[in-house]
Amino acid sequence: MKRTLYLKLLAGYVAFGILGFLTISTFTTRHTYRYLQDQEADSLYREAKSIASGYALNYYQNTLTLKDVQGHLAAIDTYLDAPIWIVSAGGDILINSRSESTENPLVKIEDFNITSFGTRYYQTGRFFGSLNQDSLTVYAPIITNYRVYGYVLIHKPLAAITRYGDGFLNISYKSLAILFLCALVVLGLFTWVVYFPIRKIAKAADSYAAGNFDAQVSLHSNDEIGYLAASLNYMATELNSLEEDQRKFVANVSHDFRSPLTSIKGYIEAIMDGTIPHEMQDKYLNIILVETERLNKLTQSMLELNKYGSHGTMLDISSFDINNIIKMTVQSFEGTCTRKKISFHLILTGKELFVTADMSKIQQVMYNLIDNAIKFSHADSAITVETTERNDKIFVSVKDTGIGIPKDSLKKIWERFYKTDTSRGKDKKGTGLGLSIVKEIIQAHNENINVISTEGVGTEFIFTLPVAKLT
């Protein structure tokens, strides 16, 4: 199996870092510089308007001398770290905040055209070649009596804005690095909490696929992964148990079929080769017939039990008198009970007691339980069959005073082909399927069956059925 999940996680982690770096270096950088440029332009424009409506206008109106204006602009220049010009409408630089002389010779800006600003109040570049570095230039007109006399120009070097933006970008890159480290921590936690448990689960699944159900996933977290691990462990235990049951099933079937087949084969060969004399052949043919009937009974029981799978069996539900079914079933054992001197003690509630169930299946349950009670009862003993009604349920009890069931076998008697050692010795004809069929039938009705037994005292089986709601 290819281990690609962790590689995908690492690829996603690296992709996160690369995409984050590309985002900051392109989108974030471009928008940061644009934002800072717009903010700086707004700030400079407000200063330019203030100068145009104040110092520059006073200069044109001769209320301030050139020296005064020069001094004020120099102070503002120092504050803004940006040269300030007052330019005539024709493009002559009248005042330069960075000129050391208060009697500046006129410098004309070649190709000056204020319309080059378009609809904006700022532009970037070297301003018609009059600057020695790229700058952000804003302008504000000097207006008096609805006439434009000149312009206030402020030039902010773009290098200063770039340095300012680089500071923000450095913070962004450092934040990205911290996020990248945080993501690395999250990746480590994810590896420990999710990936390693998944690897353990995958390894266990490989073992199960190879038929090794002894492998267990040692995870105990209270989350979905822990629940999955517990479910896999439970599944492995059940599959291992099922596999063991299948081995026992095959072994038991082989044993129960081999014995009668061996007897049949041996007796037939003895008859054919003359080992058994002619006058004794009827005796052994009867033995062969008995063994054949045993095989037929075993086959029928297996087919019956096979009907009760994981999807259950189809039940023909009807209302019938359980007391009558018990009486009819008891009568069918009259000959056997006479030979063994066993009597029945019937304690039935009312003359009629109607239940809702599959009549033929319940009749089979009664037959198997009574047959089982007769097998393990002593001679000159009694079997008690009782019906009682409590809380809309009918309780049916079959109780004998026989040899009882060992305590360590009580939970195993419902298993297919299970027989206690006493059972094998006492009843060679048993298939070990009777009680399994009983339990499957009762469970198919969504009812319960229990057993109470004490060795040397006897055994009692009790099962429930729903009371019929007669109208």
Side-chain angles (χ1 to χ4, degrees):
M1 182 177 67
K2 294 183 178 180
R3 310 295 185 182
T4 61
L5 178 60
Y6 199 64
L7 293 178
K8 291 177 181 178
L9 291 175
L10 289 177
Y13 174 72
V14 173
F16 166 75
I18 294 174
L19 291 176
F21 176 80
L22 292 176
T23 300
I24 292 178
S25 62
T26 55
F27 177 84
T28 304
T29 299
R30 183 171 63 252
H31 284 270
T32 297
Y33 287 145
R34 182 179 298 173
Y35 174 78
L36 292 176
Q37 183 174 292
D38 290 341
Q39 291 297 311
E40 190 67 26
D42 287 341
S43 178
L44 294 176
Y45 179 66
R46 287 192 297 269
E47 289 292 340
K49 283 175 59 179
S50 178
I51 295 170
S53 61
Y55 302 126
L57 185 59
N58 290 334
Y59 171 72
Y60 273 96
Q61 293 176 347
N62 295 319
T63 57
L64 282 177
T65 64
L66 176 61
K67 182 179 180 180
D68 292 335
V69 175
Q70 184 85 26
H72 287 302
L73 295 185
I76 298 173
D77 182 342
T78 302
Y79 170 73
L80 296 177
D81 191 23
I84 304 171
W85 296 351
I86 295 179
V87 181
S88 68
D92 296 322
I93 302 177
L94 303 177
I95 301 176
N96 184 346
S97 63
R98 294 194 176 180
S99 176
E100 296 179 358
S101 173
T102 57
E103 296 181 359
N104 298 321
L106 293 178
V107 177
K108 187 174 182 61
I109 301 173
E110 298 295 333
D111 301 323
F112 175 76
N113 185 2
I114 199 65
T115 60
S116 64
F117 282 85
T119 58
R120 298 187 302 173
Y121 52 84
Y122 71 91
Q123 62 177 234
T124 57
R126 299 203 174 187
F127 198 65
F128 304 104
S130 60
L131 302 173
N132 57 9
Q133 61 178 323
D134 289 336
S135 300
L136 171 67
T137 300
V138 300
Y139 85 96
I142 304 170
I143 303 173
T144 181
N145 296 327
Y146 303 104
R147 178 183 172 186
V148 177
Y149 286 90
Y151 305 95
V152 175
L153 300 176
I154 303 178
H155 308 287
K156 183 75 172 184
L158 289 178
I161 300 175
T162 301
R163 285 194 301 273
Y164 195 57
D166 289 343
F168 278 107
L169 291 176
N170 286 337
I171 294 174
S172 298
Y173 282 119
K174 290 177 182 178
S175 298
L176 176 64
I178 294 173
L179 286 175
F180 199 65
L181 291 176
C182 292
L184 181 61
V185 173
V186 172
L187 179 63
L189 290 175
F190 184 85
T191 301
W192 181 262
V193 175
V194 177
Y195 179 70
F196 285 161
I198 289 177
R199 285 287 303 272
K200 290 182 180 180
I201 291 173
K203 185 177 179 181
D206 289 340
S207 298
Y208 302 156
N212 177 22
F213 301 114
D214 293 326
Q216 294 287 305
V217 185
S218 57
L219 294 175
H220 307 288
S221 56
N222 295 321
D223 54 18
E224 287 80 357
I225 292 179
Y227 177 78
L228 177 61
S231 298
L232 284 175
N233 289 336
Y234 177 77
M235 180 192 72
T237 302
E238 291 298 311
L239 288 174
N240 197 23
S241 176
L242 178 62
E243 189 176 39
E244 182 65 23
D245 290 343
Q246 288 177 337
R247 286 195 293 266
K248 290 181 180 179
F249 179 83
V250 173
N252 288 330
V253 170
S254 299
H255 178 275
D256 284 327
F257 271 87
R258 187 186 299 116
S259 297
L261 286 174
T262 300
S263 298
I264 292 172
K265 180 175 180 292
Y267 289 139
I268 291 177
E269 288 176 347
I271 291 174
M272 292 180 65
D273 62 18
T275 302
I276 297 176
H278 181 75
E279 60 275 11
M280 298 185 65
Q281 288 182 4
D282 287 344
K283 173 184 175 183
Y284 290 99
L285 285 175
N286 285 328
I287 295 176
I288 292 173
L289 180 61
V290 170
E291 294 294 335
T292 304
E293 289 177 352
R294 179 184 172 193
L295 284 176
N296 182 61
K297 182 179 179 182
L298 180 61
T299 303
Q300 290 297 326
S301 296
M302 289 177 62
L303 291 174
E304 179 68 26
L305 194 57
N306 192 53
K307 295 178 183 178
Y308 304 93
S310 60
H311 299 290
T313 185
M314 294 296 293
L315 299 176
D316 183 14
I317 302 297
S318 62
S319 296
F320 59 91
D321 181 9
I322 186 65
N323 289 346
N324 185 51
I325 294 297
I326 292 172
K327 294 173 183 177
M328 291 174 58
T329 306
V330 167
Q331 289 176 2
S332 66
F333 287 97
E334 185 176 348
T336 303
C337 290
T338 299
R339 289 193 300 273
K340 293 188 67 173
K341 298 180 180 179
I342 294 175
S343 62
F344 282 98
H345 184 202
L346 302 184
I347 306 175
L348 306 179
T349 300
K351 293 183 179 180
E352 294 180 337
L353 187 60
F354 285 88
V355 297
T356 301
D358 186 320
M359 186 172 68
S360 61
K361 296 291 191 297
I362 298 304
Q363 189 169 16
Q364 184 177 4
V365 168
M366 291 305 307
Y367 184 92
N368 287 357
L369 291 178
I370 293 174
D371 180 59
N372 203 64
I374 292 173
K375 288 177 185 176
F376 302 108
S377 290
H378 303 294
D380 297 318
S381 63
I383 296 173
T384 302
V385 182
E386 182 178 0
T387 60
T388 56
E389 180 180 353
R390 293 194 302 270
N391 300 325
D392 293 330
K393 292 286 185 181
I394 301 300
F395 291 79
V396 181
S397 167
V398 178
K399 183 177 181 181
D400 64 62
T401 56
I403 60 177
I405 302 172
K407 186 176 181 180
D408 59 352
S409 298
L410 278 176
K411 293 183 179 180
K412 300 178 182 179
I413 60 174
W414 309 110
E415 297 177 6
R416 301 181 182 190
F417 292 103
Y418 180 78
K419 300 177 183 179
T420 63
D421 292 338
T422 304
S423 171
R424 277 192 193 279
K426 189 175 182 66
D427 180 44
K428 297 288 187 181
K429 298 180 182 180
T431 64
L433 295 174
L435 291 179
S436 296
I437 293 174
V438 166
K439 187 165 187 178
E440 294 288 351
I441 291 175
I442 297 301
Q443 287 183 339
H445 284 79
N446 295 320
E447 296 296 333
N448 299 308
I449 183 168
N450 294 307
V451 58
I452 302 171
S453 184
T454 303
E455 280 192 272
V457 177
T459 302
E460 180 180 12
F461 287 91
I462 306 170
F463 65 91
T464 61
L465 290 173
V467 176
K469 299 186 182 300
L470 301 178
T471 57

